Amino acid sequence: MGGKILEYEAKTIREQGELYQLIRMVRRKMDKGKSPEQIAEELDEDLTLVMRICEAANACYPGEGCERIYTLLRGKNIHGL
């Protein structure tokens, strides 16, 4: 039983890390003035997900980190988070 819990926690941590990385990449491209459509194309990611990340990033104060964006996305239940 403990092994399954650890596997689940490892999977959750990995998925969280992947989303944090995507948020960082999207923010960098936003800072360069790219549109959600351009970002999704360049990163080969789902446009809806990129648009939601952009919306969450725009709702944050300048200087707020990926954690705040991640929290906003979790509130919208993105990717089952």
Side-chain angles (χ1 to χ4, degrees):
M1 177 106 177
K4 289 190 185 269
I5 292 171
L6 290 177
E7 286 177 29
Y8 174 77
E9 288 177 359
K11 180 182 179 218
T12 301
I13 291 168
R14 184 175 54 252
E15 289 173 353
Q16 180 181 8
E18 290 171 0
L19 184 55
Y20 269 91
Q21 181 63 25
L22 179 59
I23 291 167
R24 277 192 284 280
M25 291 187 298
V26 168
R27 285 189 67 185
R28 281 189 209 124
K29 292 189 179 286
M30 287 176 67
D31 289 344
K32 293 179 181 178
K34 298 200 177 193
S35 70
E37 293 82 7
Q38 289 172 312
I39 296 168
E41 176 75 24
E42 291 177 9
L43 297 178
D44 194 30
E45 290 290 341
D46 178 67
L47 177 58
T48 302
L49 176 58
V50 171
M51 288 176 69
R52 289 180 177 168
I53 292 171
C54 291
E55 289 170 6
N58 288 331
C60 293
Y61 292 106
E64 282 189 300
C66 294
E67 187 169 325
R68 175 72 176 136
I69 296 169
Y70 178 82
T71 300
L72 290 172
L73 292 173
R74 275 189 66 184
K76 294 181 180 180
N77 198 24
I78 304 301
H79 276 352
L81 299 173

